[in-house]
Amino acid sequence: MATIGDRASQTREPNVTTAPGARVLTPPARSRPSTPAEQEVGTVQVWPHLLVIEFLGALIITINLILLSALFNGPFLDLANPDKTPNPSKAPWYFLNLQELLLHMNSALAGVIVPTVALILIAIIPYIDRGTKGLGVWWYSERGPKIAIFTAIYTTVVVMALIFLDKYFPLKANFSTWLTTGDIAQNGQSGVLSFLTEFASGILGGKNPELAHANALGILVEAIVGWTIPTICFLLFPTLLVILLKRVFKGIDLTEIIIGLFTGFVTVYLVLTFVGTAMRGTSMDLYPPWALPPNQEG
Amino acid sequence: MATRSLGDQGPQVPTPKDLYQRLPGVIRRPLHSLNVVGKRTWEDVSGSIVRNGWPRSVRGRSLAVMNSIFLHLHPIRTRSDAIKMTYTFGLGGISFFLFLLLTLTGVLLMFYYIPSTTQAWQTMNDIKNLQPFGWFLRNMHRWAAHAMVITVFFHMCRVFFTGSFRAPRQFNWVIGVILLVLTFLLSYTGYLLPWDQLALWAVTVGVNMVGSTPPPAVGDFVKFMLIGDYQVGQNALIRFYTLHVVALPLVLSIFLAVHFWRIRKDGFSRGLTFTSRIMEHVDTRSAGAKAAGKQK
């Protein structure tokens, strides 16, 4: 009696479309397991082998969640009050990486463009790395873990360095000083880059030169600190990573470079989330994680 | 392969027939004379619920998987090295299970919660302090939500580092990225619902981020569409609530169905199903590369 569950029927070939123009998917004869015994080598029945694992997994997760929920209460603060802004106001932890970016660049770049571009780049990975090698194998090659560790260290150092740079050498404040045009009547000093502001305010025109200067200053600072420098960083440091990977790991291939870049993304995500969660206190200032001040009501 | 394995005996519990036999004669005899309980009644009833009895053979175990709506997404057989915990760490399965738990606890919370700025906080407070086990349900929903964000993210990392996005699974990877975004959105929309200071200001920060979409006119429009107002208030609450309890779970479920379907059709990345065996022999190079005769 040949029913669907019969072993013999499992080896039957599926229907293959042979309509005109259709690609006929027929593997070379040798690769096809021909006997039930050959097909079953290394396989087990889903009932019970996989179902037991799934059942135990569900059980373990449920028990852990029950314990977690019994021991720790979720946060629940006072009634929402639009007039009382807590200091700092933080997004949910998984968005704190974006909020961290927000502190260093234009909000459109940090909050919209960077996450969108990052997600698109991740989504198209399979269409860039089109090889078939490494399917279903951890780390692709022996060098895989080494590349990942190297990238994780490199990325952590770069990200932390950039965060500290912006704290001890605040770009916005510095560029504002450099771009300021001096007011001779008030004995003010001109910044080294004031000619740029003069030039830009000339383009902007207007009858009030002071207003034009102020506008030009605002636009220039935002263009340089908010857009140009961060964009350069986003392009420069991954490029530098690829160059370093090529130097350190001779004969690195495309897949390994993409492993590096993906690891870089994951590291940036984790490091920025950590900094945003554990190192940003009052007024989103940088604190060591062990000295983070408690949240203040505004 | 042994035809009998662990669990073939089935659960050793008395069947209703055994219990019936133990009933006092006063009850059993009239039932028997009325011919209500026939010789095969229990088999008829159980056989109508589950298409197969407890499987006791290779064929039975195959049918048990194939003939159950809850199990039929599984293949009949799978590679033993594909179900090793150190390969997947069960992250996708855990994410799905957390989604089920979140649905269950979420539905229970909905019985008490009122999405109104004047009542939301109070109903949440009641859930925590008055409703039996309300605090527990709420904690479970919250922690499971955080856990799901983490497991989905690590599931993505696992799939990447095992090269499981490779042909023919490219599009399932794209669906996975969409599912990650949907998980973020589900968690984020749920964040506003307690209507406490944490909820309001966390969502305000996020909404302002969305509002910065260039150019400013578009950003303002997107922000207004999202919260239905110029600041987070009643309109935002009802929008986030609707998205959180209906729209996003529905969309996520559809993508989830496709995600699972594709795993089943494309084969497990470490298993060798018919499809993946075919794909091993299909030339995945681009037309240009083929023409140039480049090495595969």
Side-chain angles (χ1 to χ4, degrees):
Chain A
M1 193 174 73
T3 53
I4 304 171
D6 206 312
R7 273 197 243 170
S9 63
Q10 284 179 23
T11 57
R12 211 183 292 149
E13 285 174 41
N15 290 330
V16 174
T17 316
T18 47
R23 190 169 54 166
V24 182
L25 299 175
T26 313
R30 276 181 62 82
S31 77
R32 214 182 312 144
S34 44
T35 65
E38 197 180 323
Q39 193 196 34
E40 282 182 5
V41 170
T43 71
V44 290
Q45 281 209 295
V46 162
W47 180 305
H49 298 274
L50 176 56
L51 294 179
V52 163
I53 294 174
E54 289 180 347
F55 180 74
L56 286 179
L59 209 61
I60 292 167
I61 295 298
T62 311
I63 290 170
N64 278 306
L65 263 180
I66 286 173
L67 286 177
L68 194 68
S69 309
L71 294 175
F72 302 99
N73 275 325
F76 187 58
L77 308 181
D78 293 340
L79 175 65
N81 185 348
D83 301 323
K84 266 167 78 179
T85 313
N87 186 6
S89 297
K90 286 191 184 181
W93 63 266
Y94 40 83
F95 287 153
L96 282 181
N97 36 70
L98 297 181
Q99 206 180 342
E100 177 65 32
L101 290 183
L102 217 54
L103 298 171
H104 307 286
M105 60 194 76
N106 182 280
S107 55
L109 188 62
V112 182
I113 296 171
V114 167
T116 310
V117 171
L119 282 169
I120 290 172
L121 286 179
I122 290 170
I124 63 167
I125 286 175
Y127 302 101
I128 296 170
D129 181 7
R130 294 148 64 99
T132 47
K133 195 194 152 198
L135 170 65
V137 184
W138 268 98
W139 299 115
Y140 176 72
S141 65
E142 256 178 52
R143 290 195 301 198
K146 290 175 193 159
I147 291 167
I149 292 168
F150 178 87
T151 309
I153 295 169
Y154 164 86
T155 313
T156 309
V157 169
V158 167
V159 171
M160 291 310 286
L162 288 175
I163 288 171
F164 279 104
L165 176 80
D166 213 13
K167 178 178 167 70
Y168 294 107
F169 186 76
L171 292 179
K172 199 159 194 165
N174 278 305
F175 270 94
S176 301
T177 315
W178 294 336
L179 286 162
T180 311
T181 48
D183 185 347
I184 295 147
Q186 292 181 5
N187 211 6
Q189 283 251 304
S190 285
V192 282
L193 296 173
S194 58
F195 65 93
L196 280 174
T197 319
E198 295 281 2
F199 181 70
S201 60
I203 294 170
L204 285 173
K207 283 176 183 166
N208 186 343
E210 280 197 12
L211 189 68
H213 277 174
N215 282 341
L217 183 67
I219 291 168
L220 278 176
V221 167
E222 196 54 36
I224 295 171
V225 180
W227 289 92
T228 314
I229 292 176
T231 308
I232 290 172
C233 287
F234 280 125
L235 298 174
L236 176 72
F237 288 107
T239 312
L240 201 62
L241 173 68
V242 173
I243 293 169
L244 274 174
L245 284 175
K246 281 187 168 174
R247 282 279 164 85
V248 176
F249 302 95
K250 297 284 179 211
I252 194 168
D253 64 15
L254 178 69
T255 303
E256 288 170 324
I257 288 173
I258 290 177
I259 287 178
L261 290 172
F262 185 82
T263 312
F265 163 77
V266 173
T267 314
V268 168
Y269 185 91
L270 295 179
V271 170
L272 289 182
T273 307
F274 177 78
V275 171
T277 311
M279 295 177 71
R280 289 288 172 189
T282 316
S283 309
M284 293 303 271
D285 280 340
L286 201 63
Y287 292 88
W290 54 88
L292 195 70
N295 210 306
Q296 295 171 359
E297 289 286 339
Chain B
M1 170 155 301
T3 48
R4 304 187 76 80
S5 77
L6 179 77
D8 278 353
Q9 297 304 315
Q12 298 295 316
V13 287
T15 64
K17 200 182 5 187
D18 300 334
L19 298 175
Y20 174 70
Q21 295 296 340
R22 283 176 216 162
L23 282 175
V26 194
I27 301 168
R28 187 157 44 86
R29 264 191 298 276
L31 283 174
H32 190 71
S33 63
L34 281 168
N35 212 8
V36 175
V37 185
K39 220 176 179 179
R40 280 184 48 84
T41 304
W42 167 242
E43 282 77 7
D44 288 346
V45 173
S46 65
S48 74
I49 300 169
V50 204
R51 286 175 56 103
N52 310 94
W54 189 269
R56 289 163 210 283
S57 63
V58 170
R59 181 169 170 271
R61 290 197 292 267
S62 307
L63 289 172
V65 172
M66 209 159 30
N67 284 345
S68 159
I69 185 160
F70 299 108
L71 301 181
H72 85 283
L73 209 56
H74 294 92
I76 304 298
R77 307 186 66 86
T78 184
R79 300 267 292 197
S80 46
D81 52 358
I83 56 173
K84 279 207 178 97
M85 276 316 279
T86 46
Y87 179 62
T88 65
F89 298 99
L91 288 163
I94 291 171
S95 306
F96 177 57
F97 183 66
L98 287 170
F99 177 64
L100 294 181
L101 274 182
L102 284 162
T103 310
L104 180 72
T105 51
V107 167
L108 291 173
L109 288 171
M110 277 173 73
F111 286 126
Y112 300 104
Y113 177 79
I114 301 170
S116 131
T117 50
T118 52
Q119 284 170 287
W121 188 87
Q122 193 54 52
T123 52
M124 275 294 295
N125 203 34
D126 289 350
I127 287 169
K128 270 181 75 78
N129 299 320
L130 294 179
Q131 311 299 353
F133 288 99
W135 60 275
F136 180 74
L137 270 182
R138 195 263 161 160
N139 285 349
M140 200 138 164
H141 195 74
R142 185 150 194 131
W143 297 135
H146 286 315
M148 189 175 156
V149 172
I150 296 169
T151 55
V152 170
F153 189 82
F154 283 120
H155 174 58
M156 177 178 80
C157 295
R158 192 284 289 175
V159 171
F160 176 81
F161 288 120
T162 57
S164 303
F165 57 83
R166 297 182 185 287
R169 298 171 189 76
Q170 302 100 321
F171 191 63
N172 217 12
W173 167 266
V174 178
I175 293 172
V177 174
I178 295 170
L179 284 170
L180 174 75
V181 174
L182 286 171
T183 307
F184 280 142
L185 289 178
L186 263 169
S187 181
Y188 178 66
T189 49
Y191 220 86
L192 181 65
L193 305 188
W195 202 250
D196 61 349
Q197 278 288 74
L198 185 68
L200 175 70
W201 293 101
V203 167
T204 304
V205 169
V207 163
N208 286 338
M209 250 188 252
V210 175
S212 64
T213 311
V218 175
D220 290 345
F221 176 75
V222 174
K223 184 179 166 185
F224 192 85
M225 291 305 281
L226 186 64
I227 62 174
D229 201 342
Y230 296 102
Q231 61 172 339
V232 179
Q234 178 60 61
N235 288 352
L237 182 58
I238 198 74
R239 278 173 198 216
F240 274 50
Y241 177 73
T242 313
L243 286 171
H244 186 71
V245 303
V246 185
L248 290 171
L250 212 60
V251 175
L252 186 110
S253 301
I254 292 166
F255 277 102
L256 214 52
V258 180
H259 200 57
F260 291 165
W261 177 252
R262 284 300 299 260
I263 294 169
R264 183 78 174 76
K265 289 288 145 183
D266 297 337
F268 196 79
S269 61
R270 216 183 203 190
L272 286 175
T273 61
F274 192 83
T275 323
S276 61
R277 281 202 299 274
I278 292 171
M279 288 311 291
E280 277 177 6
H281 300 281
V282 170
D283 203 339
T284 50
R285 293 172 300 167
S286 69
K290 275 180 205 168
K294 273 187 202 153
Q295 206 65 42
K296 195 175 181 179

